[in-house]
C-alpha cells in the first residue's frame, strides 16, 4: 500500500464498515446488557461460543505453555486473554470484544494493511501472549471469533462503539519518572501483583493454572512487541482499570500516577519479539510511543520510550497532514 493510499484509509475512512453513506449509529457499552451464553439453545454454536469464553478466561489452561498436550501450547506465557480484556472481554474501555464484528475488517497501521478479526487474534497471540499464531481453521480460532461475534450481537456493522478500546487521556508533557512510579507501585499495585511484579500464582509452576493476579514483567508476561508495551497505551489502561475495582468512571489514580507507574512497569525486563523493525512499515503513522527503531521524528530513543510525547504527536501530525494533502492533490489530478 502506498503512503498516499494508506493516508486515504487512515485519515479518511477508517474501518471499511464505516464507508456506508448513512450516518453510523452509536452504541454505548456502559450499561449495556451482556449476552448470556446460558440462554443460547443447546448445540454446536453454543458449544463453540462457550469454548471461546473459556479460552478467553482460562487461556493458560487450554493453550498455555504448561498444558500437557504440547501441540496445544500456542500461548507462550500463563496469562489469560482476560488479563487485559477484562471481565471476559466485556468491560467498557478495557479493550472489550463487544462490537468487534462492527469494526472489522479495519486498517491497521502496524501492518499498513486491512486486517481481519482472525489476524487481530493472532497479533495478540504472538505479542501479548508471547506465543505463536493459531491456524485459521483451528477450533480455537473459530471459537475466539464466535465468542467475539456473540458479544457483538445487536451492534450494527459500522456502528460507533462507545466503550471500545480504551478511554483517551492526556499525557503529561514531561518525561515519565519510573522512580516516582516505583513509589506508586509499592503503595497501590504490589499488594496484588507482588513487590517483584511476578503476580500471584493459583498453584505451582508447571500446573497450567495461571495466576490470580498476572505478572507485569519478567519471562511470563507480554513481550516488547505488545501494544501494552507502549507507554501511552499502558497509561490509559492503568488509569481507567487499575487498581482492582477501578473503571473509566471510577478511577483511582491521577494522570501523573498512572503515567509514572506505567513507566516503572515498562522499565522492567520482558520477553523480546524478533523483527520489530517490520512493524509500521509506513513509518509516518508509527505511534510515537513505539519504543523500538527505526524512528523518523528525529527524537532520541528515550523520548519514544518515556516521553514527553506531545511534541512528538504534534510533529507526527504535521507529517500526516502533509501526506494527506499530497494524497488529495493526487486524487484531484487524476480526475
Amino acid at each position: 500500500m502506498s503512503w498516499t493510499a494508506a493516508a486515504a484509509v487512515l485519515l479518511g475512512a477508517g474501518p471499511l464498515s464505516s464507508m456506508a453513506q448513512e450516518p453510523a449509529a452509536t452504541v454505548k457499552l456502559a450499561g449495556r446488557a451482556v449476552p448470556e451464553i446460558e440462554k443460547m439453545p443447546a448445540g454446536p454454536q453454543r458449544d463453540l461460543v462457550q469454548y471461546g469464553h473459556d479460552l478467553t478466561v482460562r487461556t493458560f489452561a487450554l493453550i498455555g505453555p504448561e498444558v500437557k498436550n504440547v501441540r496445544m501450547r500456542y500461548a507462550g506465557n500463563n496469562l489469560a486473554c482476560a488479563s487485559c480484556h477484562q471481565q471476559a472481554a466485556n468491560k467498557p474501555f478495557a479493550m472489550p470484544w463487544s462490537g468487534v464484528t462492527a469494526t472489522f475488517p479495519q486498517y491497521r497501521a502496524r501492518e499498513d494493511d486491512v486486517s481481519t478479526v482472525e489476524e487481530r487474534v493472532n497479533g495478540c497471540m504472538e505479542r501479548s501472549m508471547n506465543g505463536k499464531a493459531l491456524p485459521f481453521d483451528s477450533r480455537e480460532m473459530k471459537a475466539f471469533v464466535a465468542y467475539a461475534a456473540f458479544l457483538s450481537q445487536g451492534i450494527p456493522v459500522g456502528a460507533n462503539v462507545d466503550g471500545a478500546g480504551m478511554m483517551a487521556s492526556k499525557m503529561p508533557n514531561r518525561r515519565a519518572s519510573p522512580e516516582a512510579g516505583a513509589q506508586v507501585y509499592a503503595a497501590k499495585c504490589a499488594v496484588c501483583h507482588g513487590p517483584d511484579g511476578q503476580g500471584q500464582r493459583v498453584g505451582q509452576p508447571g500446573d497450567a493454572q495461571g495466576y490470580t493476579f498476572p505478572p507485569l514483567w519478567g519471562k511470563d508476561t507480554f513481550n516488547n512487541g505488545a501494544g501494552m508495551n507502549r507507554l501511552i497505551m499502558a497509561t490509559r489502561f492503568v488509569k481507567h482499570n487499575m487498581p482492582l475495582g477501578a473503571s473509566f468512571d471510577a478511577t483511582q489514580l491521577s494522570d501523573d500516577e498512572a503515567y509514572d507507574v506505567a513507566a516503572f512497569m515498562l522499565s522492567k525486563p520482558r520477553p523480546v519479539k524478533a523483527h520489530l523493525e517490520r512493524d509500521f512499515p509506513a513509518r509516518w503513522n508509527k505511534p510515537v510511543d513505539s519504543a523500538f527503531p527505526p524512528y523518523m521524528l528525529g527524537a532520541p530513543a528515550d523520548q519514544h520510550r518515556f516521553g514527553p510525547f506531545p511534541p512528538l504527536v504534534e510533529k507526527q501530525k504535521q507529517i500526516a497532514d502533509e501526506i494527506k494533502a499530497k494524497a488529495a492533490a493526487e486524487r484531484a489530478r487524476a480526475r
Side-chain angles (χ1 to χ4, degrees):
M1 183 178 288
S2 69
W3 280 27
T4 51
V9 174
L10 180 63
L11 301 174
L16 295 187
S17 56
S18 67
M19 294 181 181
Q21 297 300 313
E22 296 180 3
T26 296
V27 176
K28 290 183 177 292
L29 297 184
R32 178 176 179 267
V34 177
E36 299 178 48
I37 299 175
E38 296 75 14
K39 293 184 178 180
M40 295 182 70
Q45 185 71 18
R46 173 172 167 171
D47 293 344
L48 191 64
V49 170
Q50 182 65 59
Y51 187 39
H53 170 274
D54 295 345
L55 282 165
T56 302
V57 300
R58 303 189 71 241
T59 322
F60 48 83
L62 298 170
I63 56 172
E66 297 175 352
V67 298
K68 291 182 179 180
N69 185 350
V70 296
R71 293 184 178 181
M72 293 298 292
R73 294 178 179 177
Y74 287 99
N77 58 39
N78 286 286
L79 303 183
C81 296
S83 298
C84 293
H85 304 281
Q86 294 186 334
Q87 296 177 6
N90 283 304
K91 185 180 179 183
F93 298 108
M95 300 177 289
W97 297 349
S98 306
V100 162
T101 54
T103 58
F104 274 84
Q106 67 174 223
Y107 173 79
R108 300 274 302 166
R110 189 159 65 193
E111 293 79 26
D112 190 31
D113 203 352
V114 174
S115 294
T116 64
V117 173
E118 291 85 353
E119 289 169 326
R120 186 69 187 94
V121 168
N122 275 340
C124 280
M125 287 300 303
E126 295 176 319
R127 296 165 186 270
S128 298
M129 304 308 293
N130 191 38
K132 59 185 180 182
L134 292 166
F136 277 17
D137 62 351
S138 66
R139 180 168 174 78
E140 288 67 38
M141 178 62 80
K142 292 177 181 179
F144 275 125
V145 174
Y147 181 56
F150 172 76
L151 295 179
S152 302
Q153 61 184 283
I155 300 177
V157 172
N160 296 315
V161 183
D162 183 12
M166 289 185 287
M167 179 168 280
S169 57
K170 188 176 181 180
M171 295 298 109
N173 192 8
R174 61 173 175 83
R175 185 185 188 276
S177 171
E179 296 77 19
Q183 298 178 33
V184 177
Y185 183 87
K188 301 187 178 183
C189 310
V191 64
C192 290
H193 296 287
D196 57 358
Q198 298 310 292
Q200 295 183 29
R201 275 254 181 190
V202 172
Q204 300 297 321
D207 65 8
Q209 291 303 304
Y211 295 86
T212 303
F213 299 104
L216 301 180
W217 60 83
K219 66 180 182 179
D220 211 22
T221 190
F222 58 89
N223 66 41
N224 69 330
M228 199 62 74
N229 196 54
R230 291 167 38 201
L231 182 52
I232 292 175
M233 188 169 185
T235 298
R236 288 172 173 167
F237 181 83
V238 169
K239 167 74 175 178
H240 300 106
N241 296 288
M242 293 289 143
L244 187 65
S247 64
F248 75 97
D249 56 355
T251 60
Q252 298 183 32
L253 299 177
S254 68
D255 289 341
D256 286 289
E257 287 176 323
Y259 187 54
D260 289 334
V261 78
F264 171 69
M265 174 182 71
L266 298 185
S267 72
K268 299 295 185 177
R270 64 187 59 258
V272 174
K273 188 180 187 304
H275 306 304
L276 286 181
E277 73 281 355
R278 299 174 185 174
D279 285 6
F280 304 100
R283 306 302 183 209
W284 60 270
N285 61 9
K286 181 180 181 181
V288 298
D289 57 337
S290 294
F292 52 85
Y295 305 112
M296 67 166 291
L297 298 179
D302 183 80
Q303 187 172 355
H304 285 281
R305 189 179 186 195
F306 293 123
F309 295 115
L312 299 183
V313 171
E314 180 59 32
K315 187 168 185 179
Q316 187 178 54
K317 182 179 181 300
Q318 292 174 2
I319 295 172
D321 286 345
E322 291 172 3
I323 293 172
K324 186 178 180 180
K326 290 179 182 178
E330 273 192 18
R331 290 196 298 271
R333 285 195 298 270
R335 289 173 184 165

